[in-house]
Amino acid sequence: MELKSNHSSPVLTDPVPVNKSRLGIHSNLLSYPQSGGSLSSGKYMTIPRKKPGKLDDVRSNGWLDAMKSSSPPRKKLIKDFNIEVAADDIDIVYCSWMIKYPSAIKSFEKISKIAKNKKIAVFLDYDGTLSPIVDDPDCAFMSDDMRSAVKDVAKYFPTAIISGRSRDKVYELVGLTELYYAGSHGMDIMGPVSHTESADHPDCIRSTDQQGKEVNLFQPAREFIPMIDEVFKNLVENTKDIKGAKVENHKFCASVHYRNVEEKNWPTVAQCVHDILKDYPRLRLTHGRKVLEIRPVIDWNKGKAVEFLLESLGSSHTLSLSFTTRIPG
C-alpha cells in the first residue's frame, strides 16, 4: 500500500453513511433521570434498576463474577501469536480470548487489501495498545519508539487516541500535537473545526488546543462533572483502608483499580463501590481489566466518538482502522 502524505481527503470510504441517526447525537444523548423524576419529552431513556435491598449486594448482583471474568490470568505471548492447543485452564482462557480478539498484525495483509485505493483514518487506544499494562496506571508510559511510530503514522493519516483516561492525561502521556484526542471513553473529544451537523450540537463548543489552534470541543456528559467529582471523593474515602486500591477521576467518569488488591479483598472493593453507586441512579458500572468504571448513563461510547470524529473530518461515507490491544491480565 503506497503511503502518501495527504490530509486533504483524510478518511477511508465505506458503503455505510455517517448521519445524525447513526451518530445519535441530536436525539439520543439520553441521560438517566433522577429517581422518581418526571420524564421530559425525548430527553431520557428508561433503564430498569433494582431497588436496593438486603440481597442486592455484590454477590447477588453478579459483580464479583464480572470482576473475575473481566480479569483473566495473564499468559505470555506466543511467538508470532500462534495459537497452540491449550493444556490447562489458563491456556484455554487465553486462546479463547485471542480467537475473540484476533491480532491486527496477523491480519495486516487483509487490512491492506481492504484499504487499497482508499483513504484512511487511524484510531488508537492507549493502555495496552501504545503502552504496556502495568500495576500502577500512572506508570503506563509509551516508549520513545512507539511515540515515533505514531508520529510517523500521523504524517500520512489523520490519527486519534480514544481512551478511558481523561483527555488531558492522555495528551500528557502521548505528547504529540499532530493527533486528535478523546478521553473519558469518548465523552471528551477535541477534534477538528467543521461545519457538519455534529458541530452544531449544543454540547459542541469552539475552543483552542495547546498550540492555540482552533478546535471543536465535544462534551456530551458535561452536566455530570459535579456528580463524578462527588462520587470520586466518596470512593477515595471509602477505599482508603483497602491495600492496593486506587481511585482515579477522569473528569466525566471515575475508576477504581483493584489490580494490586489481594483477590480475597475484591468483595470489599466491590461492596464499597456498590454502596456508593446505589445512591446515583444516573451513573452505571462497567468492568475493565481489574478496574471498576463509573460512567454517566448516556447513549455514548468510544464507537460513537469514532463516528463523531469521522464526520468532523468531513467524510459522508466512512471506514476507520481502529487498533486496540487487549492482552489478558
Side-chain angles (χ1 to χ4, degrees):
M1 180 170 58
E2 183 181 1
L3 301 181
K4 295 182 179 180
S5 180
N6 182 357
H7 281 194
S8 59
S9 301
V11 279
L12 218 36
T13 58
D14 179 18
V16 183
V18 170
N19 52 47
K20 62 183 179 181
S21 62
R22 207 178 139 204
L23 283 172
I25 58 176
H26 292 276
S27 61
N28 293 328
L29 280 178
L30 305 174
S31 303
Y32 192 92
Q34 293 286 0
S35 180
S38 61
L39 294 175
S40 59
S41 178
K43 184 178 181 182
Y44 299 112
M45 60 181 174
T46 302
I47 297 180
R49 176 169 290 210
K50 293 190 297 180
K51 294 181 179 180
K54 291 183 179 180
L55 296 179
D56 188 19
D57 60 15
V58 296
R59 291 176 177 81
S60 64
N61 64 19
W63 279 27
L64 282 180
D65 290 339
M67 288 171 73
K68 292 178 180 179
S69 64
S70 64
S71 306
R74 179 183 293 275
K75 182 179 183 299
K76 290 183 179 180
L77 290 178
I78 303 171
K79 185 178 180 181
D80 294 329
F81 294 92
N82 290 324
I83 303 300
E84 303 293 341
V85 177
D88 53 38
D89 289 343
I90 293 178
D91 284 343
I92 291 172
V93 170
Y94 180 82
C95 294
S96 299
W97 187 94
M98 288 297 290
I99 291 172
K100 186 176 181 180
Y101 302 101
S103 168
I105 295 175
K106 293 193 68 174
S107 305
F108 189 76
E109 184 177 346
K110 182 178 180 180
I111 293 172
S112 297
K113 289 180 180 179
I114 295 173
K116 189 175 182 180
N117 299 322
K118 294 180 181 178
K119 295 161 186 176
I120 300 171
V122 177
F123 297 88
L124 301 165
D125 198 353
Y126 183 79
D127 291 279
T129 302
L130 301 181
S131 73
I133 297 296
V134 295
D135 291 339
D136 185 351
D138 288 336
C139 296
F141 302 118
M142 63 189 298
S143 66
D144 291 338
D145 287 343
M146 178 65 78
R147 184 173 288 102
S148 178
V150 173
K151 187 172 184 177
D152 286 343
V153 169
K155 291 178 182 177
Y156 300 101
F157 313 117
T159 303
I161 310 291
I162 301 182
S163 172
R165 293 175 180 262
S166 72
R167 177 173 52 80
D168 290 340
K169 183 63 176 180
V170 175
Y171 177 79
E172 176 186 328
L173 290 167
V174 177
L176 295 176
T177 60
E178 299 90 342
L179 312 182
Y180 301 115
Y181 293 87
S184 301
H185 298 283
M187 290 181 285
D188 187 8
I189 304 173
M190 183 171 282
V193 172
S194 67
H195 301 287
T196 59
E197 288 184 86
S198 59
D200 295 329
H201 191 274
D203 289 315
C204 193
I205 60 175
R206 198 65 58 90
S207 184
T208 55
D209 63 12
Q210 289 82 353
Q211 287 69 48
K213 184 175 69 174
E214 198 171 33
V215 294
N216 274 337
L217 189 60
F218 184 63
Q219 297 174 329
R222 191 181 299 125
E223 67 175 291
F224 288 89
I225 292 177
M227 188 183 297
I228 293 295
D229 286 342
E230 183 177 297
V231 168
F232 168 73
K233 293 174 183 177
N234 290 337
L235 287 169
V236 171
E237 178 63 26
N238 286 22
T239 62
K240 65 182 181 181
D241 295 326
I242 304 175
K243 185 178 179 180
K246 182 179 179 65
V247 184
E248 290 187 301
N249 187 341
H250 303 302
K251 190 171 182 176
F252 297 97
C253 55
S255 61
V256 181
H257 296 266
Y258 56 92
R259 178 174 298 277
N260 297 320
V261 177
E262 290 187 34
E263 188 168 340
K264 67 179 182 180
N265 293 326
W266 287 10
T268 305
V269 175
Q271 195 66 54
C272 285
V273 176
H274 173 272
D275 290 344
I276 293 172
L277 193 59
K278 68 183 181 182
D279 295 325
Y280 294 88
R282 299 183 71 197
L283 300 178
R284 64 188 177 99
L285 179 88
T286 61
H287 299 268
R289 286 166 297 172
K290 294 185 173 68
V291 61
L292 298 174
E293 297 176 321
I294 295 88
R295 311 186 196 182
V297 180
I298 64 171
D299 188 17
W300 196 259
N301 52 42
K302 288 182 179 179
K304 291 196 174 185
V306 168
E307 293 179 343
F308 179 89
L309 281 167
L310 286 170
E311 185 183 12
S312 298
L313 288 166
S315 176
S316 60
H317 295 78
T318 62
L319 176 65
S320 65
L321 295 181
S322 301
F323 296 93
T324 302
T325 302
R326 290 300 185 199
I327 302 302

